[in-house]
Amino acid sequence: MKSKNYTLTTMPYSLTIGWLYPELMSTYGDRGNIIVLEKRCEWRGISAQVVNLDKGFNVKLFNDVDILFMGGAQDLQQKIVSDDFSKEKTKAFKKVMDWGLPGLYICGAYQFLGKYYKEANGNVIPGLGILDLRTEHPGEESERLIGNIVVEVDLVGLTPTTYEVEERKIEEKHIIVGFENHGGKTYLGENLKPFGQVMKGFGNNGKDKTEGAVYKNSIGTYLHGPILPKNPEIADWLIEKALERKYKKKIKLKKLDDFLSQKAKKVVLQKMSSY
Ligand code: GLN
C-alpha cells in the first residue's frame, strides 16, 4: 500500500539527537551541525533534545536516539575513541545503522566507521569495520587535502536544485559545498556508495573523484564547514528520515526561508566557478 505523505502539522513530534564524543570529536567546528539540527526541528515545532554519548557512554543509549552525529578530530583523539569503543558498542552501533538510524559522520568520524586509519607514521588505528572502506595517510611529506570543496550528491529524496553560476545554468544536480581538511586518503569498497562526486576539491582521496559514503540513512563525509549550515537540505533529509523511522510514516517538513544559506552557497560556487 502506498504510504501517505503527511505534512507536518502541530502534532507533538520529538526527536533525540545523539552526539558521539562531543568533547573529543569536534575539532573543526562540527558542533555547528548539532545547532542546525536542533534549530531546524524547533522552527517546525518539533522538540529536539541532544544527548551526549561521551567516553564510557552506556551502550543502551543507541536505542534512545533518533539521529546520530559525530564530528572530526586529530589522529590522537581518534585513537582515544577507538580504544573506548568496545566490541559490544560496535555491535550495537552496527545494528542501529543497519536498522536505518539516520546519522552524519564527519572526517575522522567517517574514517572511524571503516576498517582502519593508518597514520602518517604507519601506526594503524583500528576502525569499527562497519563500512567497507579504509583510510591511509601517505606520510608526513604528502600534501594535506585542504580547501573549499564542491560535490554533486544524489541522495534519494533530495530535490535537485538549479544554480546559476556566471550565466551557466547547472540543472538537475544537487550541489553541496564545504571545507575539507584531512591527511588520510579513503578508499571505498566496490559495493559502498559514495556520498557524491567531487566537482572541485579533493574528496576521499584526490584521485577517484568520490566524496564520502552513504550506507542506508548514514552519511560519511569529509565536508566540514560545518556542512549543515551551508547545506541545510541535508539536515532536513536527516530529520525527515528520523521522523519517518520513529513515527512509521513519511512526513514532509514545511519549507523554511533558506535565503541566506543558499546565497552563501552561490557565493562559494561563484568563487570556485572554474569547476
Ligand atoms: N586525523 C584525520 C586526518 O587527518 C582526520 C582529520 C579530521 O577529522 N579533519 O585525515
Side-chain angles (χ1 to χ4, degrees), residues 28 71-75 78 106-109 111 117 135 137 144 181-185 222 224:
Y28 301 82
Q74 301 300 333
D75 296 7
Q78 286 177 241
I106 311 288
C107 204
Q111 296 171 343
Y117 170 66
T135 304
H137 193 304
R144 200 165 168 81
N181 175 358
H182 53 110
K185 296 188 176 186
Y222 274 112
H224 296 289

Side-chain angles (χ1 to χ4, degrees), residues 75-244:
D75 296 7
L76 173 69
Q77 288 86 351
Q78 286 177 241
K79 177 92 184 66
I80 296 168
V81 167
S82 177
D83 295 344
D84 181 57
F85 231 87
S86 62
K87 283 209 175 6
E88 186 198 10
K89 278 182 187 169
T90 306
K91 209 162 140 247
F93 190 12
K94 181 169 185 340
K95 203 188 292 181
V96 288
M97 278 178 87
D98 286 345
W99 285 350
L101 182 74
L104 178 64
Y105 307 94
I106 311 288
C107 204
Y110 161 47
Q111 296 171 343
F112 183 50
L113 296 176
K115 295 175 185 160
Y116 63 84
Y117 170 66
K118 190 161 118 183
E119 296 182 88
N121 62 7
N123 175 48
V124 175
I125 302 176
L128 299 178
I130 297 177
L131 297 188
D132 179 13
L133 60 89
R134 60 187 169 80
T135 304
E136 302 190 355
H137 193 304
E140 286 312 351
E141 69 295 340
S142 69
E143 63 171 336
R144 200 165 168 81
L145 308 185
I146 292 186
N148 283 311
I149 178 169
V150 179
V151 181
E152 178 191 351
V153 298
D154 58 358
L155 267 189
V156 175
L158 209 55
T159 38
T161 315
T162 305
Y163 287 99
E164 280 186 23
V165 179
E166 289 189 349
E167 291 80 52
R168 280 183 301 131
K169 221 174 185 183
I170 299 171
E171 286 192 331
E172 294 312 303
K173 287 179 178 168
H174 199 89
I175 313 283
I176 62 171
V177 296
F179 186 81
E180 60 182 324
N181 175 358
H182 53 110
K185 296 188 176 186
T186 295
Y187 302 89
L188 305 184
E190 59 187 34
N191 299 322
L192 184 55
K193 190 171 167 296
F195 178 36
Q197 294 300 317
V198 177
M199 298 178 79
K200 176 83 183 171
F202 297 104
N204 280 328
N205 49 53
K207 287 218 171 35
D208 65 12
K209 289 284 179 207
T210 63
E211 199 298 308
V214 173
Y215 173 67
K216 296 201 184 255
N217 293 328
S218 294
I219 299 171
T221 176
Y222 274 112
L223 272 68
H224 296 289
I227 180 172
L228 296 185
K230 295 192 172 184
N231 311 281
E233 63 278 21
I234 306 286
D236 289 353
W237 186 88
L238 290 164
I239 294 168
E240 284 184 350
K241 290 289 179 195
L243 287 169
E244 182 179 346

Side-chain angles (χ1 to χ4, degrees), residues 31-83:
R31 63 181 58 245
N33 295 307
I34 290 284
I35 298 168
V36 169
L37 287 169
E38 273 185 304
K39 281 290 169 200
R40 292 184 78 82
C41 283
E42 193 188 297
W43 291 335
R44 278 122 167 182
I46 303 166
S47 77
Q49 62 154 348
V50 178
V51 170
N52 290 350
L53 284 72
D54 240 322
K55 226 167 144 258
F57 70 89
N58 186 325
V59 66
K60 291 193 177 62
L61 282 172
F62 276 130
N63 296 319
D64 300 342
V65 297
D66 304 303
I67 301 178
L68 268 176
F69 173 74
M70 186 168 165
Q74 301 300 333
D75 296 7
L76 173 69
Q77 288 86 351
Q78 286 177 241
K79 177 92 184 66
I80 296 168
V81 167
S82 177
D83 295 344

